[in-house]
């Protein structure tokens, strides 16, 4: 923070030199530094996607251009990696027995670009991660609803699977195997 006398001295010097942008550049550098520090504190608290980090920094009052510059720099030095974040979030979602649709919704909610979220979810689907999650969800509901009527067991499983974003075909297959 500069005091008024120093500001006037810089303004006179800039005017004398004919480079008024000197004062503006110095304040922009301060903004960039402050924004970078805020971004690093946010990333230290929890991993984030670039979209979520951008929203948080703009909410703190930093200018769009400053935020974009900071995010670009953090990405360049590999402190911010949306793909790695998305892959980690997919593992978290499948651990919570979520399906493809639910996972993509969660990723976009957390600031991951929709195209990247779809691509990472497609890779996980090809590995069978979402089918494994559906089977685990089915085993959980088979244990929870043991002794109940078959229709009730199926209804509860289908409701949970739908809320978690599983495909109807996968739910149908799991229900036929586990809940009869």
């Amino acid at each position: 923070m500069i005091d008024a006398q120093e500001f006037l001295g810089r303004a006179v010097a800039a005017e004398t030199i004919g480079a008024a942008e000197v004062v503006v550049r110095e304040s922009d550098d301060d903004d960039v530094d402050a924004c970078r520090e805020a971004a690093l504190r946010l990333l230290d608290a929890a991993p984030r996607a670039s979209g979520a980090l951008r929203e948080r920094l703009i909410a703190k009052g930093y200018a769009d251009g400053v935020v974009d510059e900071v995010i670009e720099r953090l990405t360049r030095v590999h402190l911010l990696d949306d793909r790695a974040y998305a892959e980690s979030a997919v593992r978290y979602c499948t651990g919570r027995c979520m399906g493809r649709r639910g996972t993509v919704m969660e990723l976009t909610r957390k600031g991951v670009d929709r195209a990247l979220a779809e691509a990472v979810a497609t890779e996980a689907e090809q590995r069978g991660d979402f089918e494994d999650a559906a089977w685990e969800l089915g085993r959980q509901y088979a244990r929870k609803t043991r002794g109940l009527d078959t229709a009730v067991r199926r209804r509860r499983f289908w409701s949970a699977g739908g809320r978690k974003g599983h495909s109807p075909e996968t739910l149908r297959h799991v229900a036929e195997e586990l809940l009869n």
Side-chain angles (χ1 to χ4, degrees):
M1 193 95 203
I2 60 173
D3 62 0
Q5 188 174 12
E6 185 179 350
F7 177 78
L8 288 175
R10 289 181 183 181
V12 170
E15 192 174 286
T16 305
I17 298 170
E21 60 274 350
V22 170
V23 175
V24 173
R25 253 191 248 122
E26 288 179 1
S27 66
D28 282 349
D29 287 345
D30 291 341
D31 284 347
V32 169
D33 290 340
C35 184
R36 182 174 50 246
E37 289 299 318
L40 290 172
R41 278 193 305 275
L42 287 168
L43 289 173
D44 190 37
R48 300 174 196 277
S50 61
L53 183 62
R54 185 177 200 291
E55 288 175 9
R56 289 290 302 266
L57 292 172
I58 288 174
K60 286 182 174 278
Y62 296 105
D64 288 352
V66 171
V67 170
D68 290 340
E69 181 180 337
V70 167
I71 287 175
E72 180 183 322
R73 170 86 171 117
L74 291 173
T75 302
R76 221 177 24 248
V77 297
H78 305 290
L79 291 175
L80 192 60
D81 185 354
D82 279 354
R83 177 167 271 286
Y85 176 80
E87 290 169 352
S88 172
V90 166
R91 286 190 299 275
Y92 172 75
C93 288
T94 56
R96 291 180 50 213
C97 298
M98 293 177 75
R100 184 184 198 289
R101 190 181 71 246
T103 299
V104 170
M105 288 174 53
E106 182 73 6
L107 289 173
T108 55
R109 186 183 67 78
K110 289 185 177 218
V112 176
D113 179 60
R114 179 91 180 172
L116 178 59
E118 291 282 349
V120 172
T122 299
E123 292 169 8
E125 187 173 40
Q126 290 170 349
R127 288 190 308 265
D129 294 351
F130 298 125
E131 188 167 342
D132 293 344
W135 280 98
E136 180 58 30
L137 183 66
R139 285 188 288 274
Q140 288 174 5
Y141 272 83
R143 279 191 306 270
K144 284 182 187 179
T145 60
R146 187 168 299 147
L148 295 177
D149 182 53
T150 303
V152 172
R153 297 178 82 194
R154 284 175 168 262
R155 186 174 60 243
R156 289 185 183 177
F157 170 67
W158 271 82
S159 295
R163 285 190 305 272
K164 290 186 174 278
H166 287 285
S167 71
E169 298 82 30
T170 304
L171 293 176
R172 186 175 301 111
H173 181 67
V174 172
E176 286 174 6
E177 293 289 322
L178 293 177
L179 301 176
N180 282 332

